[in-house]
Amino acid sequence: MKIVFATNNAHKLAEVSAVLGSEYELVTLREVGITEDIPETGATLDENASIKARYVWERTGLDCFADDTGLEVEALNGAPGVRSARYATDGHDFAANNRKLLSELEGKENRRARFRTVISLVRGGEECQVEGVVNGTIAHEESGCEGFGYDPLFIPEGSDCTFAEMTAEQKNAISHRGRAVAELVKILK
Ligand code: IMP
C-alpha cells in the first residue's frame, strides 16, 4: 500500500519505513512534486502535524501522514518544544541547537526531558492523530554519531547511552517516533 509521508528527511524516512514494514511503500514529498517547505505556522506539535498532512492531501488527494516532533525540557518550561528545529537559528542547524541547549541548562540540576511526536493521518480526507513519547534526560556533553538532531544529548530512561550511540533498531524500539508509528500501524491495519 502506497502512502505519502510528508517529509524529505532521509533519517526519518528510514526510521519510519523500518517500523511500518514492507507492506507499506512510503512516498516522499519530492516524489509527489512538493518541493517547497510546508509552512509550519502552528503553535503546537498537533497543529503543525495537521497543517502538513492537510497541505499534502489538498494538493495531491493522496492518503498521507505527517509528523511533528519536539524536545520538551522540564527546566526550560517545555522549550524548545514546537521550536525544536529552529531553536538556535532560523535553519535546521543541529550543532547550534545542541550548543544552545547545553548552555541553557548550565548549572541546572533538573535535566529531565521528553521527546514527543504527533502524527496526523489523512485518509480519504478524514484526519486522525496519534502520539508517541519517550522520557529521558539531557547529557552534559554530546556522545555518539548516529541519528540526527538532539540525539547526541538525549539519554532515554532506562539506558546509559544517548540515542546517537544506539543502532537505528535500538532507537526505533523505544523512541517517540517509533511509538507514534506503532500507533499509526494499528490504525492503518
Ligand atoms: P520535526 O518537526 O519532526 O522535523 O522535528 C523538529 C526538530 O526536532 C528536528 O529538527 C530535530 O532537531 C528534532 N528532532 C526530531 N526528531 C528527532 C529525533 O528523533 N532525534 C533527535 N532530534 C529530533
Side-chain angles (χ1 to χ4, degrees):
M1 186 182 134
K2 275 193 182 186
I3 188 157
V4 181
F5 178 21
T7 190
N8 283 318
N9 177 326
H11 283 285
K12 276 193 191 177
L13 203 65
E15 283 185 8
V16 171
S17 71
V19 182
L20 271 184
S22 55
E23 223 177 290
Y24 296 91
E25 186 189 334
L26 290 185
V27 181
T28 64
L29 287 176
R30 215 168 283 125
E31 286 168 323
V32 293
I34 297 177
T35 51
E36 68 277 17
D37 279 341
I38 303 177
E40 294 185 25
T41 50
T44 61
L45 299 176
D46 306 44
E47 278 176 30
N48 276 340
S50 180
I51 288 169
K52 287 189 271 188
R54 296 217 144 270
Y55 188 98
V56 176
W57 164 257
E58 279 156 19
R59 277 154 190 82
T60 66
L62 298 169
D63 289 350
C64 61
F65 65 92
D67 76 321
D68 204 40
T69 295
L71 175 68
E72 300 171 338
V73 181
E74 227 176 71
L76 304 178
N77 301 316
V82 72
R83 293 198 41 81
S84 291
R86 294 170 299 276
Y87 188 39
T89 67
D90 266 354
H92 294 243
D93 186 338
F94 295 148
N97 286 342
N98 286 341
R99 276 197 303 274
K100 177 166 177 182
L101 182 58
L102 284 177
S103 100
E104 296 284 329
L105 281 177
E106 230 172 73
K108 297 215 191 314
E109 240 168 61
N110 177 5
R111 300 183 77 92
R112 280 195 295 275
R114 64 176 192 170
F115 270 117
R116 195 159 68 88
T117 292
V118 177
I119 294 180
S120 261
L121 169 70
V122 177
R123 273 197 306 183
E126 292 291 316
E127 183 179 359
C128 64
Q129 288 194 326
V130 292
E131 182 182 285
V133 171
V134 59
N135 292 309
T137 52
I138 303 300
H140 288 270
E141 58 182 35
E142 294 189 30
S143 306
C145 46
E146 300 298 322
F148 68 102
Y150 299 96
D151 280 348
L153 286 178
F154 187 82
I155 303 173
E157 216 167 58
S159 169
D160 53 9
C161 58
T162 67
F163 268 161
E165 294 175 295
M166 295 182 179
T167 63
E169 292 73 37
Q170 288 169 328
K171 179 182 170 188
N172 270 336
I174 55 169
S175 82
H176 45 300
R177 194 170 303 99
R179 287 176 175 162
V181 174
E183 293 302 309
L184 177 71
V185 169
K186 286 187 202 160
I187 294 179
L188 287 174
K189 287 184 174 164

